Amino acid sequence: MEEMNNHDMETMNSHHHDEPVEDAEIKSWKRKTYLSWLFAIPIAILMLSERIFGMNLIPENYLVPFLLVLAFPVVFIFGFQTIKSGMRGLFTFYFNMDSLIALGTVVAYLTGIFSYFGFVSDYSGVSAMIMAFFTTGKYVESIARGRASQEIRKLLELGAKNARIIRNKKEIEIPIQEIKIGDIMIIKPGEKIPTDGIIVKGASSVDESMITGESLPVDKKIKDNVIGATINQDGILYVKAMKIGKDTFLSHIIELVENAQGTKVPIQKLADKITSIFVPSILVIAILSIVGWFYFTKDLSKSLGVGISVLVIACPCALGLATPTALMVGSGMGAKRGILIRKGEAIQTMKEIKIVVFDKTGTITKGKPEVKEFYIPKKVKENYFWEIAASMERLSEHSIAKAVVQHANLKKYKEVKDFKVLRGRGLEGTMGRKKVLIGNSTLMNENKISLTSFENIIEKFESQGFTTMIVSENKVALGIIGIADAVKEDSKEAISRLNEEGYRTIMITGDNERTARTIAKEVGISDIIANVLPEDKVKKVEHLQKEGMVAFVGDGINDAPALKQSNVGIAMGTGTDIAIESGDLVLAKGSLIGVVQAINLSKKTFKKIKQNLFWAFAYNTLAIPLAIAGLLHPVVAEIAMALSSITVVTNANLLRRARI
């Protein structure tokens, strides 16, 4: 509903804080459904045996009291919130799906009491059946809506729990909440940095991929800033705490996610608009039917029976099932293909998408550096070159070093002495009597190693966006290695298909423009947005939304706010938990072909939802005149109502035949 039902609000208010709201709602409707049918099934057996087969399973004098007793808990206990919400809607003139259910069940139940006065037939059993069908529909709907996002809690869990600090010249460990601005924190290799600060001693590389989305660790030295929750790699850092609590970068990201939440259009809006007109119309028709029949027949029992039939046949149970059943089938189809639909709203908005924005690292690319190219002059033996390079690099923790070792794939390594990591430049060490240096041009120039014969190769590698490393021995350059984040095998195909179907594709990245253009060109994207800070991704998405509906595809924590801000957030299942929790759709396989499939699945699922809404109302449109004409007994009306629900469910299951 566009406005939340009162019982939905009460469910939210009463749930346990550690339990998602939707989980509590699912459990609530599940319990109501099971208990309702526990009483409704005996009622159905009694009604069918007596009214269709003419068999009285219990004495006729006791039948009505027995039905009243059985129906009471179904209508007034398990259906209490529905009755309360529906009746309030009638008095406040905000008509919702509960209004017809509430009026139909209460009037039907009261006929059981009035039947003792002899002027009306008993329909009390029908009231329980209506409510049982309704609670079943709500249970199915609550499952389809899925579980609540817990992204904020997941973000909070990313931070370090404790911090090692120096106080009174002693090293102590304290909870992160007790850190004060100015405290000196000690972060050892492999540990999370507790909070934002500035390095006062030491040097290391820091994995900031959780925040920036960039796969390569960033070299850090004295006076460099570091971010809380990022991971120290290979050196001990002494960091002065500069920001704590709500002022930290992580807290800022959390705030962005919170702000971007709740901006999407509820999928039920279409149904609600129809219902807001449909429900009061049915109420007027039901009242006019009762008055008209009583005026012409003077038979109150028949008049009430017609009125109840109108209310029951118009009961929007099928309408309640129309959306969730199609969503459940669509979700199942998607799950088999690794497409997880987390938010039903995405099905409604996906068909309007005009722009698809891709994060680069971990989305278009693998997020893992690889040796892309290398150049070794003929005078140098290739095996010898890789022996030297890998023997040195295996002593480093840097992800670039790991890429070299993996590419060399040696069984045996040379012994390295006097090994040193030269922060921001490379590595040095000795093998036997030979001094070996591996690193960038700066390191080579510092050691006066000539690169004259390699200048064209270095320029070529750098123009392709590679991280370029020169291997030298005794002041002679032996060769060059070009390392880059590799594009996923199917990224090019997926983006090509999107381009062909008329979508505007854009790549967004924190990388420099040269590297970004290289990757974009490789996969067929012409529009790029480079050098983007995490908090600016949201602004870029907002700006693009002025041109049309935007889908954002990402995998890192820094993508979470943009995933939320976009009209449809598509998260890579190979990414961080927070990105997955922020996505409306999740691609479990981490393949961009899934984006194309997700769009097709969404379009077909939404088409099926529209068909279901049509069938839900088609039954009413055809059957309401019959009910007004007095040709539908309330029990028959109830069966017709059930059939409309079955039709909707069957139609939803036909979605399985669709090709995506």
Side-chain angles (χ1 to χ4, degrees):
M1 312 277 345
E2 197 167 349
E3 290 180 32
M4 195 173 291
N5 286 343
N6 293 302
H7 58 276
D8 290 335
M9 286 298 294
E10 287 177 35
T11 304
M12 288 179 73
N13 293 334
S14 62
H15 88 283
H16 194 276
H17 287 293
D18 291 334
E19 181 180 36
V21 175
E22 283 85 346
D23 279 359
E25 194 182 351
I26 290 166
K27 286 177 182 176
S28 173
W29 283 116
K30 183 180 182 181
R31 186 174 64 251
K32 287 176 184 175
T33 299
Y34 286 169
L35 291 171
S36 294
W37 283 110
L38 193 66
F39 289 90
I41 288 170
I43 289 172
I45 293 168
L46 288 170
M47 286 169 59
L48 287 170
S49 62
E50 190 257 339
R51 291 174 190 176
I52 295 178
F53 301 109
M55 295 167 56
N56 291 323
L57 298 180
I58 60 173
E60 196 171 343
N61 293 341
Y62 296 104
L63 181 61
V64 173
F66 196 74
L67 289 175
L68 283 168
V69 170
L70 282 177
F72 184 85
V74 180
V75 177
F76 296 106
I77 297 176
F78 313 134
F80 175 72
Q81 298 298 349
T82 303
I83 298 292
K84 183 179 171 185
S85 168
M87 288 303 181
R88 186 177 291 160
L90 294 173
F91 291 120
T92 59
F93 294 99
Y94 171 68
F95 300 107
N96 54 36
M97 282 194 189
D98 295 346
S99 303
L100 294 182
I101 298 293
L103 197 60
T105 50
V106 170
V107 171
Y109 186 84
L110 291 175
T111 58
I113 297 169
F114 293 137
S115 67
Y116 279 104
F117 301 101
F119 60 82
V120 67
S121 298
D122 167 45
Y123 297 115
S124 57
V126 174
S127 67
M129 297 297 291
I130 296 168
M131 190 57 76
F133 274 112
F134 180 75
T135 52
T136 305
K138 292 298 283 183
Y139 173 43
V140 172
E141 189 180 340
S142 68
I143 293 170
R145 272 208 300 268
R147 309 197 183 290
S149 295
Q150 301 173 60
E151 52 268 276
I152 304 303
R153 187 164 62 185
K154 284 188 180 286
L155 271 173
L156 291 169
E157 286 171 359
L158 287 173
K161 304 296 179 284
N162 297 307
R164 192 181 292 104
I165 67 165
I166 298 172
R167 278 204 187 147
N168 301 323
K169 297 183 180 179
K170 285 184 181 178
E171 193 177 305
I172 59 167
E173 194 164 309
I174 60 168
I176 191 168
Q177 296 85 351
E178 294 178 20
I179 295 175
K180 295 175 183 173
I181 291 175
D183 277 342
I184 304 297
M185 304 175 290
I186 304 167
I187 303 104
K188 294 182 178 177
E191 291 182 344
K192 284 183 181 177
I193 294 169
T195 193
D196 298 5
I198 189 166
I199 298 170
V200 293
K201 183 181 174 184
S204 182
S205 57
V206 175
D207 179 358
E208 295 186 338
S209 61
M210 301 282 277
I211 296 293
T212 64
E214 186 49 56
S215 57
L216 300 178
V218 181
D219 291 322
K220 299 284 185 179
K221 57 186 184 301
I222 292 172
K223 292 188 179 178
D224 282 348
N225 291 315
V226 289
I227 300 167
T230 57
I231 301 166
N232 183 25
Q233 296 275 287
D234 54 8
I236 295 178
L237 291 176
Y238 291 78
V239 176
K240 183 179 181 180
M242 301 300 285
K243 291 179 182 177
I244 55 173
K246 291 182 180 178
D247 296 326
T248 63
F249 188 88
L250 185 61
S251 294
H252 185 48
I253 291 283
I254 291 168
E255 188 183 347
L256 287 172
V257 174
E258 285 177 326
N259 290 343
Q261 279 182 324
T263 56
K264 310 230 175 102
V265 181
I267 195 166
Q268 283 293 344
K269 196 169 184 180
L270 172 64
D272 291 344
K273 280 182 179 176
I274 299 167
T275 305
S276 65
I277 301 164
F278 179 73
V279 173
S281 302
I282 292 300
L283 291 173
V284 171
I285 290 167
I287 292 166
L288 290 175
S289 299
I290 293 168
V291 172
W293 270 87
F294 186 69
Y295 178 78
F296 288 109
T297 66
K298 301 293 185 284
D299 184 345
L300 184 59
S301 178
K302 178 66 176 173
S303 303
L304 281 174
V306 169
I308 292 167
S309 292
V310 171
L311 290 171
V312 170
I313 194 65
C315 164
C317 285
L319 186 63
L321 289 168
T323 296
T325 47
L327 272 179
M328 287 178 78
V329 175
S331 298
M333 287 175 65
K336 285 180 183 176
R337 294 162 176 81
I339 304 161
L340 311 177
I341 300 170
R342 293 196 66 256
K343 302 282 170 61
E345 301 96 298
I347 301 300
Q348 187 170 359
T349 47
M350 182 65 92
K351 64 184 176 63
E352 304 293 340
I353 291 296
K354 298 284 185 285
I355 302 163
V356 185
V357 181
F358 296 91
D359 172 52
K360 180 182 79 72
T361 307
T363 303
I364 291 175
T365 66
K366 293 177 180 176
K368 187 180 175 185
E370 290 181 0
V371 173
K372 296 289 284 180
E373 276 191 51
F374 56 89
Y375 172 75
I376 305 167
K378 289 181 181 178
K379 62 182 179 182
V380 179
K381 289 183 179 177
E382 190 174 326
N383 288 348
Y384 182 71
F385 174 84
W386 288 114
E387 265 186 359
I388 289 176
S391 297
M392 286 281 286
E393 296 285 12
R394 79 185 183 97
L395 301 174
S396 170
E397 291 296 315
H398 206 289
S399 56
I400 284 180
K402 288 173 184 172
V404 172
V405 173
Q406 189 176 358
H407 181 85
N409 195 23
L410 301 182
K411 291 180 180 176
K412 194 176 180 182
Y413 297 93
K414 289 179 175 289
E415 186 184 351
V416 179
K417 292 180 180 176
D418 304 323
F419 176 78
K420 278 185 190 174
V421 175
L422 305 170
R423 189 69 49 199
R425 291 168 295 159
L427 310 170
E428 77 170 22
T430 56
M431 293 185 192
R433 293 181 180 178
K434 294 175 180 177
K435 184 178 179 182
V436 177
L437 289 171
I438 301 179
N440 55 25
S441 301
T442 306
L443 180 63
M444 298 300 131
N445 292 335
E446 281 176 7
N447 287 272
K448 295 176 182 170
I449 296 168
S450 174
L451 298 176
T452 309
S453 58
F454 294 102
E455 281 174 358
N456 291 339
I457 303 295
I458 292 171
E459 193 177 318
K460 178 192 166 191
F461 281 12
E462 287 182 349
S463 68
Q464 289 177 274
F466 298 163
T467 298
T468 305
M469 297 169 63
I470 301 122
V471 180
S472 73
E473 181 185 72
N474 282 350
K475 298 207 171 186
V476 176
L478 299 181
I480 303 173
I481 304 170
I483 293 174
D485 192 359
V487 169
K488 289 178 183 174
E489 288 78 5
D490 52 12
S491 291
K492 190 174 179 180
E493 182 192 343
I495 289 160
S496 170
R497 283 169 65 177
L498 288 172
N499 289 338
E500 283 170 14
E501 289 178 27
Y503 293 97
R504 181 184 169 197
T505 53
I506 300 171
M507 187 177 83
I508 193 165
T509 179
D511 264 355
N512 62 68
E513 189 155 339
R514 188 171 63 184
T515 303
R517 287 223 171 272
T518 303
I519 298 291
K521 188 178 178 184
E522 188 177 342
V523 295
I525 293 177
S526 53
D527 289 2
I528 66 157
I529 304 171
N531 296 308
V532 179
L533 294 170
E535 57 265 42
D536 290 338
K537 285 189 180 181
V538 173
K539 293 173 190 170
K540 296 291 183 187
V541 169
E542 276 183 292
H543 181 73
L544 288 168
Q545 282 173 318
K546 292 173 186 173
E547 300 173 37
M549 300 277 261
V550 175
F552 186 92
V553 190
D555 77 318
I557 285 165
N558 63 308
D559 299 325
L563 284 163
K564 277 287 175 191
Q565 175 61 42
S566 63
N567 301 98
V568 179
I570 303 174
M572 308 303 282
T574 49
T576 58
D577 285 351
I578 175 60
I580 292 168
E581 287 293 328
S582 300
D584 302 312
L585 303 176
V586 178
L587 307 181
K589 294 176 183 174
S591 162
L592 288 189
I593 291 292
V595 175
V596 181
Q597 292 178 327
I599 289 172
N600 292 337
L601 177 65
S602 296
K603 284 180 177 177
K604 290 184 186 297
T605 304
F606 187 73
K607 186 180 178 183
K608 196 57 72 175
I609 288 170
K610 287 201 291 186
Q611 287 175 2
N612 278 353
L613 290 172
F614 167 79
W615 283 112
F617 284 109
Y619 262 94
N620 293 330
T621 307
L622 292 169
I624 287 169
L626 296 175
I628 295 168
L631 299 174
L632 279 183
H633 186 279
V635 175
V636 178
E638 182 194 323
I639 293 167
M641 180 195 76
L643 284 173
S644 71
S645 297
I646 291 165
T647 303
V648 162
V649 172
T650 305
N651 185 50
N653 278 287
L654 291 175
L655 179 62
R656 297 184 198 282
R657 297 181 182 178
R659 287 187 177 184
I660 61 166

